Amino acid sequence: MSRVTYVYNPATADQESLRGAHQVRIVTDAEEGTGVNALPGGVYGYTYSPGLPNAPLFAVRRYRSYETHKLASGEVFVIAYADADAARQIEQAVADVTVRVHPEPQDDTAFLVQIPYSRIRQHRQYAAPNQDGFMVTLGPAVT
């Protein structure tokens, strides 16, 4: 029988900087488990359900969970990591594009990306937190 080893992955400097730029705070104990759609603006948390309108957010980062920000404006972002090509496509897409993103940086996926929910057209989410990222189809980048 195999055993999963959970590792604490502290936030990167880029994540900390993005939290400051987005002016978000971690969800409170009372808010934990609430869907991002029902939370007030200005919060962030972690979820295994990135891209879902009612993704529950939690204060503790768990293995392969995705950071999600809800800005004061109500706009929601999945914070993830991608390889250089996917990061470029996310930033510059002029048509729909499908990319794979990951919850933590890895050797080949070290570029921090922020994906606005408003651009998500379709995603293929895996139920198990040990799967290799998730595929998401995004609409064109707004320039």
Side-chain angles (χ1 to χ4, degrees):
M1 178 178 203
S2 66
R3 180 171 282 207
V4 174
T5 302
Y6 293 93
V7 177
Y8 173 69
N9 291 314
T12 65
D14 289 341
Q15 284 173 300
E16 291 288 352
S17 178
L18 189 56
R19 291 173 191 156
H22 281 175
Q23 299 180 347
V24 292
R25 60 160 175 82
I26 192 72
V27 293
T28 65
D29 288 346
E31 294 168 331
E32 273 197 300
T34 302
V36 69
N37 60 321
L39 288 168
V43 300
Y44 80 94
Y46 304 95
T47 188
Y48 284 125
S49 305
L52 294 182
N54 60 346
L57 297 189
F58 298 92
V60 177
R61 183 177 189 181
R62 302 282 185 213
Y63 178 71
R64 303 204 42 82
S65 60
Y66 288 81
E67 187 168 325
T68 301
H69 294 189
K70 184 172 185 180
L71 280 54
S73 67
E75 189 169 15
V76 178
F77 290 86
V78 175
I79 310 305
Y81 289 86
D83 62 31
D85 184 53
R88 181 191 50 75
Q89 289 181 61
I90 291 167
E91 186 176 315
Q92 301 173 359
V94 295
D96 286 3
V97 61
T98 300
V99 295
R100 181 182 301 274
V101 295
H102 302 269
E104 293 108 14
Q106 300 169 3
D107 291 340
D108 58 340
T109 59
F111 294 88
L112 182 70
V113 296
Q114 50 182 321
I115 300 172
Y117 269 35
S118 60
R119 287 187 57 202
I120 296 175
R121 301 288 188 255
Q122 178 181 4
H123 65 76
R124 181 173 180 196
Q125 182 175 321
Y126 299 95
N130 61 351
Q131 295 296 318
D132 187 27
F134 83 105
M135 297 292 288
V136 61
T137 300
L138 305 173
V142 177
T143 56

